[in-house]
Amino acid sequence: MRRLPYSCYLFLACLTLGFCYLFCLRYGMFGAKVDWISQHSVLPDYFRQQFYDTGQLFPEFAANIGGGQNIYNFSYYGLYNPLILPSYLLPFVKMSDYMMAIQLLGLTASVLLMYRWLGKRGFSEKICVGVAVLFLLSGPVIFHSYNQIMFINYMPFLLTGLWGVDQYFEKQKSALLTVSIFLMIMTSFYFSIGGMLVLVLYGIHRYLMVCDEAGEKITVISFLTEGLKFSFCFVMAVLMSGVLLVPTAFALAGREGEGVAFGVAELLLPKVPITRFCYSPYGIGMTTLAMTALVSLAFGRKCYERMLALSCIVVLTVPVFAYLLNGGLYVRDKVMIPFLPLLSYILAYYLEALESREKEGIGRLGEVLPYVLTAVVLYLNRQQGDIKKYWKLLLFDSILMLICFLLFRLGRRRAMLLLAPSILMLIVFGYTCHTQADRAVGRKFYEEVTDSDIGKQIEAVTAKEEGFYRTEQLGNDNENAANLNRIWTMGQYISSLYSSSYHGGYREFREETFRLEEPFRNFLMQSAVHNPVYQRFMGVKYVVSKEDIQGYEPVGFTSLDEACQFEGQADAKEKGKQGDEWRVYENTQVSPVVYGTDRVISREAFLDLEFPYRQLALLEYAVVEEAGDFTQRDSAAKEVLEEQANPIEIDLPLDIDSGTDQEVRVNLPDLSETEEGQRVLFLCFRVENQRPTKDVAVWVEGIRNKLTARNHFYYNDNTEFAYGILLKDGQETVEMVFGKGKYEIGEVKAYIGRLPTWEGKKELEGRLYQSVFKPDWERTKGNRIEGSIDVKREGYVVTTIPYDENFEILVDGERVRAEEVNTAFLGFWIEGGRHEVRLIYHAPGVKAGKMMSMAGLIIFCGMGFFRQSFRKSSTDGR
């Protein structure tokens, strides 16, 4: 092995940071506006906060997010990520800052490891540096280091795994390979499957190479025997990862798939997805030279060359592999990103063979023909997906590489003649891609969103709260997107959620049963909402906002004027109006998260209700499965609900065809004779998009509903826009903004509803929230909710925690049966009197996962000790 100069390491490290600045940092922070700011930087912070709160390294329940869900719904975002766990020792470091630092370090380490690995494989220094730079500049590496970081953050461990494969076959040492696979799984279990496939293919290649160099004959028996030994490393790594994999598998198994159906022919007939190979950040992202090297090696003289190239070609072109690596949901190129190091190796191998005439690397066909075949394949696939927009540029790339190859053959045989144009093209691509995407979080926005003063305000309020309520943050659309999963303190509970895995019943309730507004393109983004009925139903007692919130008052004050006088700030009132300052608002007329009641209606009667009576019903009754004669009770309930809302006529434009947003003032009927109380405008209408490749958005009083373009992968299917708007006293009009586009509006329904109000505990006795649960905050943490409730009349304890059969419910120490109430939430029957209640969540698979990890760790350590003892005894024997 050649000793590589340290100056190359320094050069590559500086180059990595330089391109990060050029592509991203000069526009803002090393993080993206959507997924990074709302998922990858906040969920790890929540994991860390829960660890500080409970002292438990293996949590089971995320009570604070999405109403309360299995924490393994979010394990993908770094629950046991070895790169994130060290942050638990740094409570004084903001998690988002830590994430940016670890992303940059991981990216730099990946580039240096690529250079080091290639050097250990014996490639020349220039080829090692050139290919490492190509690896750095390839589509996904920098891009996903600040966007979807799980797409790339496992890369250092995949590279050490490739290094471990070399050690396994050269020195019969398996520790590095096993540990690398384990760390890769714990970092990004989704992409670790593709990573393990890469290690298997490279392992077969190295086994054949070692046998060929040693002159050993390979038989089926010897191949299978060595394969079983090799697979032991993978089995051990998977066993040690059980604490993550088993409960995550249970959580994912409970989710209904959003997959796409494919026929057998579609999955088995080879295709050449160009974006999987070239330039795309959601694929391998190399230039056409990588394709040429792959084709060339497929005609290699050695069987280990052909095996590696042909196996890569099969995996990368036969759709069934992408389908399986994507969990049987769809065929997407992202799962092939782990093949980037392997293609980099193939490229280095190809270039080294070209440089050395004496080295028997590639056969006669590995000359001009691969370049011609690459150009032909690109031309034949020019109408494929997004390729048709820029296939001429790709064809230019392939022809340019052919010209460079001819110059290479005619002049001095130097690999940089082929590498330099590829590096230049990837620089141009990277500069264009990152600039056009405009994805980086701006520094000012980042500082505002992560301002610790917001958390201090929330903590000051929630620390004094004796009841069990929720606290949410509402701002503009960008702020709401950034705060979907943000938890400032463990006393804060939110109903919003953004995760690729989630509680299916809760999402169905929000979208189908309750019909909330959907302000975002992505159907996975379950936002905090302005609907006053939902806020009351979910117990959102506190809202943090820069603007006055209808129905809420500034905490501790009766008005904004009084708040300004108390603070002694001459300009505080003006700032509050302009929306420059975050502050906490309170609404005392909301549901507790847990309460007791005997006011119930049957599920059947509830689902028979139309919009908006179904929404209003949840403020008057709890919905339970029919357990007796509900006929009279349901009939009386319907009569009560009919008085809660009255239909009105409202005049909306029905045909929209505009290139700009259109603002309209819509008149409301005279409300002077309606009953007293807080009035709500309920409005819904169907939207038919005449330009399905474009989004449609409509705002009512600043509240947005959006229908995603039909070709968007996370199409939200929000074809019926529904709104609940709390009206001001004497309000006669509402402001609507119809977004640009061409669409039709139909089936318009509008109602004026009235929210129930109460004053004092005596008024609650005859209403829904008859008995309020008092949590014991010393014991309510992690997967436990404990406290007491004084039940006035026997009935149900109702929660707004999504129902999960894995809850254990204890009343006065006796276990009771959990039931699904309000169609999607946890509840149970209870008798009158004072009771001690415990809700304990047991994430399925946690115990089995711990045992699996323990067994794997014991076997791994035992095998290591055995090998060490065997080597020592062998040495002593000599």
Side-chain angles (χ1 to χ4, degrees):
M1 182 193 73
R2 183 185 300 106
R3 184 178 180 86
L4 298 172
Y6 290 109
S7 59
C8 290
Y9 290 103
L10 181 61
F11 169 74
L12 288 171
C14 292
L15 202 64
T16 299
L17 296 177
F19 280 119
C20 286
Y21 175 79
L22 178 66
F23 293 161
C24 176
L25 286 170
R26 67 194 181 107
Y27 301 113
M29 313 303 291
F30 200 62
K33 291 179 179 177
V34 182
D35 290 352
W36 184 87
I37 194 68
S38 61
Q39 290 180 314
H40 303 303
S41 64
V42 291
L43 287 170
D45 184 53
Y46 176 65
F47 300 149
R48 184 172 69 169
Q49 286 190 63
Q50 190 171 98
F51 172 73
Y52 292 154
D53 187 50
T54 66
Q56 298 175 359
L57 190 60
F58 305 104
E60 299 186 51
F61 191 60
N64 306 76
I65 301 175
Q69 302 193 13
N70 185 340
I71 203 166
Y72 288 92
N73 283 339
F74 318 123
S75 62
Y76 173 73
Y77 301 98
L79 183 58
Y80 301 128
N81 188 332
L83 300 175
I84 294 175
L85 289 177
S87 71
Y88 289 21
L89 303 175
L90 306 170
F92 49 87
V93 177
K94 189 188 297 184
M95 179 59 80
S96 50
D97 290 343
Y98 176 86
M99 291 300 296
M100 285 187 283
I102 205 68
Q103 288 157 215
L104 283 168
L105 287 174
L107 172 60
T108 305
S110 297
V111 176
L112 298 183
L113 282 168
M114 170 60 72
Y115 171 71
R116 176 68 170 168
W117 173 54
L118 293 177
K120 288 182 70 66
R121 292 294 299 118
F123 298 112
S124 68
E125 180 184 321
K126 290 183 179 179
I127 288 179
C128 291
V129 171
V131 173
V133 173
L134 275 180
F135 170 82
L136 167 66
L137 295 171
S138 62
V141 174
I142 295 178
F143 185 86
H144 286 303
S145 291
Y146 72 93
N147 277 273
Q148 296 275 6
I149 63 175
M150 306 308 173
F151 288 21
I152 205 74
N153 64 351
Y154 56 88
M155 197 60 73
F157 305 121
L158 175 56
L159 287 163
T160 57
L162 290 166
W163 193 343
V165 171
D166 294 332
Q167 280 197 0
Y168 180 88
F169 288 106
E170 293 173 1
K171 301 179 181 180
Q172 289 73 52
K173 293 182 179 180
S174 61
L176 180 58
L177 176 58
T178 304
V179 172
S180 296
I181 298 171
F182 166 72
L183 294 175
M184 183 169 60
I185 294 172
M186 301 301 285
T187 304
S188 184
F189 62 84
Y190 188 92
F191 286 88
S192 69
I193 303 172
M196 285 189 279
L197 179 57
V198 167
L199 295 176
V200 168
L201 297 182
Y202 181 68
I204 297 172
H205 165 72
R206 291 291 287 128
Y207 169 69
L208 297 176
M209 178 184 286
V210 169
C211 290
D212 181 77
E213 291 173 350
E216 296 179 7
K217 184 178 180 181
I218 301 174
T219 65
V220 174
I221 299 297
S222 64
F223 180 81
L224 292 178
T225 301
E226 189 59 44
L228 286 174
K229 293 179 182 178
F230 185 65
S231 66
F232 187 76
C233 300
F234 294 79
V235 174
M236 291 304 307
V238 171
L239 279 175
M240 291 191 295
S241 307
V243 69
L244 172 67
L245 295 180
V246 176
T248 299
F250 274 96
L252 295 177
R255 173 189 168 187
E256 295 182 6
E258 302 288 341
V260 180
F262 291 95
V264 175
E266 289 181 281
L267 293 175
L268 297 181
L269 291 178
K271 297 178 182 176
V272 184
I274 305 302
T275 52
R276 184 171 297 173
F277 290 93
C278 301
Y279 294 107
S280 171
Y282 291 92
I284 296 171
M286 295 286 270
T287 66
T288 62
L289 183 60
M291 292 179 63
T292 302
L294 192 60
V295 172
S296 179
L297 211 64
F299 296 101
R301 293 177 178 176
K302 300 291 186 178
C303 66
Y304 54 81
E305 297 172 354
R306 296 193 299 272
M307 174 271 149
L308 180 61
L310 291 173
S311 61
C312 286
I313 290 172
V314 170
V315 171
L316 294 172
T317 59
V318 178
V320 69
F321 290 98
Y323 180 73
L324 293 175
L325 291 174
N326 276 298
L329 295 177
Y330 36 64
V331 174
R332 297 185 69 191
D333 296 340
K334 64 180 183 179
V335 289
M336 297 304 176
I337 294 175
F339 277 80
L340 174 58
L342 202 52
L343 258 67
S344 299
Y345 168 78
I346 289 172
L347 179 57
Y349 193 97
Y350 169 73
L351 294 173
E352 186 82 5
L354 285 180
E355 272 198 339
S356 176
R357 291 183 183 274
E358 294 78 22
K359 186 172 180 179
E360 294 184 0
I362 51 177
R364 296 178 180 177
L365 290 176
E367 298 287 343
V368 177
L369 183 57
Y371 292 90
V372 176
L373 287 175
T374 301
V376 170
V377 168
L378 287 170
Y379 180 77
L380 293 177
N381 289 276
R382 63 188 184 280
Q383 296 299 317
Q384 182 187 103
D386 293 335
I387 290 297
K388 56 187 175 184
K389 299 177 182 178
Y390 54 91
W391 68 271
K392 292 181 180 179
L393 294 176
L394 283 168
L395 191 61
F396 168 77
D397 176 357
S398 63
I399 294 173
L400 177 62
M401 295 313 303
L402 173 59
I403 295 172
C404 291
F405 174 75
L406 294 175
L407 294 174
F408 172 90
R409 297 296 288 168
L410 294 173
R412 299 181 65 187
R413 301 169 66 87
R414 293 290 180 264
M416 288 308 297
L417 191 58
L418 294 172
L419 281 173
S422 295
I423 291 172
L424 181 60
M425 285 184 286
L426 282 179
I427 291 174
V428 174
F429 162 74
Y431 183 85
T432 306
C433 173
H434 294 267
T435 305
Q436 287 183 345
D438 189 27
R439 291 175 177 265
V441 177
R443 185 174 299 275
K444 181 180 179 182
F445 179 76
Y446 172 76
E447 291 174 351
E448 291 175 352
V449 168
T450 61
D451 186 355
S452 60
D453 287 341
I454 304 171
K456 291 176 182 177
Q457 289 192 57
I458 294 175
E459 186 172 14
V461 171
T462 57
K464 297 177 182 178
E465 177 57 61
E466 296 182 355
F468 195 174
Y469 297 96
R470 292 192 168 91
T471 304
E472 300 201 325
Q473 196 169 343
L474 287 174
N476 58 40
D477 291 332
N478 290 332
E479 291 165 342
N480 290 342
N483 294 320
L484 285 165
N485 296 314
R486 193 176 303 278
I487 298 296
W488 289 99
T489 171
M490 292 306 291
Q492 179 189 5
Y493 299 85
I494 62 176
S495 64
S496 59
L497 172 69
Y498 179 26
S499 171
S500 55
S501 179
Y502 48 82
H503 188 291
Y506 181 60
R507 179 189 160 198
E508 181 181 357
F509 176 84
R510 289 173 56 98
E511 295 181 0
E512 304 296 334
T513 305
F514 202 93
R515 290 168 62 183
L516 288 171
E517 69 259 25
E518 295 187 47
F520 298 116
R521 304 185 75 211
N522 190 333
F523 74 85
L524 296 174
M525 300 173 77
Q526 302 175 41
S527 176
V529 298
H530 294 77
N531 188 305
V533 181
Y534 193 75
Q535 288 175 332
R536 287 196 175 200
F537 170 74
M538 289 299 292
V540 182
K541 185 175 182 179
Y542 302 103
V543 170
V544 185
S545 178
K546 295 179 181 178
E547 305 289 344
D548 286 343
I549 302 295
Q550 268 303 96
Y552 287 77
E553 296 289 342
V555 169
F557 310 104
T558 58
S559 67
L560 185 60
D561 298 271
E562 187 179 339
C564 296
Q565 291 173 7
F566 179 85
E567 291 174 356
Q569 297 177 358
D571 61 340
K573 182 176 179 181
E574 190 62 28
K575 284 187 177 181
K577 287 183 178 180
Q578 294 175 352
D580 293 335
E581 300 285 338
W582 291 98
R583 65 177 301 117
V584 182
Y585 294 82
E586 179 183 20
N587 182 359
T588 59
Q589 306 282 300
V590 302
S591 163
V593 173
V594 184
Y595 61 90
T597 188
D598 69 342
R599 286 176 61 86
V600 297
I601 60 172
S602 69
R603 181 188 182 100
E604 181 181 357
F606 173 74
L607 294 178
D608 282 343
L609 296 172
E610 299 290 338
F611 174 89
Y613 301 104
R614 184 184 292 182
Q615 293 185 342
L616 290 169
L618 294 170
L619 301 185
E620 296 284 358
Y621 301 95
V623 182
V624 299
E625 292 292 341
E626 188 170 357
D629 185 8
F630 276 82
T631 305
Q632 185 175 356
R633 188 178 301 189
D634 289 346
S635 178
K638 288 183 178 180
E639 291 181 6
V640 172
L641 292 171
E642 287 176 356
E643 299 175 359
Q644 299 296 323
N646 299 310
I648 62 172
E649 294 293 330
I650 193 168
D651 186 21
L652 300 182
L654 301 181
D655 293 296
I656 308 295
D657 188 359
S658 175
T660 59
D661 296 346
Q662 302 294 315
E663 184 176 328
V664 176
R665 277 280 173 184
V666 178
N667 294 321
L668 299 175
D670 184 10
L671 305 176
S672 58
E673 296 182 2
T674 58
E675 297 183 41
E676 294 296 324
Q678 291 184 312
R679 297 177 178 85
V680 181
L681 169 65
F682 293 100
L683 175 64
C684 72
F685 48 83
R686 186 165 293 280
V687 175
E688 184 177 342
N689 192 358
Q690 302 296 317
R691 292 176 184 161
T693 58
K694 303 292 183 181
D695 290 357
V696 169
V698 177
W699 291 259
V700 180
E701 291 291 300
I703 300 172
R704 181 173 71 180
N705 254 303
K706 176 168 279 194
L707 172 61
T708 312
R710 195 66 183 84
N711 58 353
H712 184 49
F713 185 81
Y714 295 105
Y715 175 67
N716 65 6
D717 199 25
N718 184 30
T719 57
E720 191 168 23
F721 289 5
Y723 303 86
I725 310 294
L726 193 61
L727 299 174
K728 300 177 183 177
D729 292 339
Q731 184 171 346
E732 298 178 349
T733 63
V734 292
E735 180 185 275
M736 295 186 66
V737 177
F738 294 88
K740 62 183 179 180
K742 184 177 182 180
Y743 50 97
E744 294 180 0
I745 290 175
E747 301 180 28
V748 180
K749 298 177 183 178
Y751 302 80
I752 295 294
R754 181 170 54 85
L755 298 183
T757 58
W758 60 83
E759 293 182 9
K761 294 183 179 179
K762 289 185 177 180
E763 284 199 24
L764 287 177
E765 292 184 3
R767 291 191 174 274
L768 178 60
Y769 318 122
Q770 298 162 8
S771 308
V772 178
F773 172 79
K774 297 193 69 174
D776 182 338
W777 290 117
E778 291 297 320
R779 294 182 293 171
T780 297
K781 56 183 61 179
N783 66 329
R784 307 172 74 90
I785 298 171
E786 299 190 27
S788 62
I789 186 169
D790 189 2
V791 180
K792 306 302 180 185
R793 292 182 289 275
E794 69 174 8
Y796 284 85
V797 170
V798 177
T799 78
T800 51
I801 300 169
Y803 173 81
D804 192 311
E805 62 183 8
N806 298 291
F807 271 105
E808 178 185 4
I809 301 175
L810 299 174
V811 178
D812 299 327
E814 298 291 330
R815 188 164 183 167
V816 300
R817 184 173 66 90
E819 297 185 36
E820 190 175 60
V821 298
N822 290 333
T823 74
F825 298 91
L826 182 69
F828 54 92
W829 176 263
I830 197 168
E831 296 180 352
R834 190 180 185 281
H835 302 282
E836 295 295 321
V837 176
R838 282 188 290 170
L839 308 178
I840 307 171
Y841 185 79
H842 302 287
V846 167
K847 289 183 179 179
K850 290 179 180 178
M851 293 175 63
M852 183 172 162
S853 289
M854 185 62 68
L857 187 60
I858 291 172
I859 295 172
F860 176 72
C861 293
M863 292 295 294
F865 178 78
F866 173 78
R867 286 172 182 161
Q868 189 69 22
S869 300
F870 179 77
R871 286 179 189 144
K872 185 177 180 181
S873 62
S874 299
T875 303
D876 293 342
R878 289 200 291 274

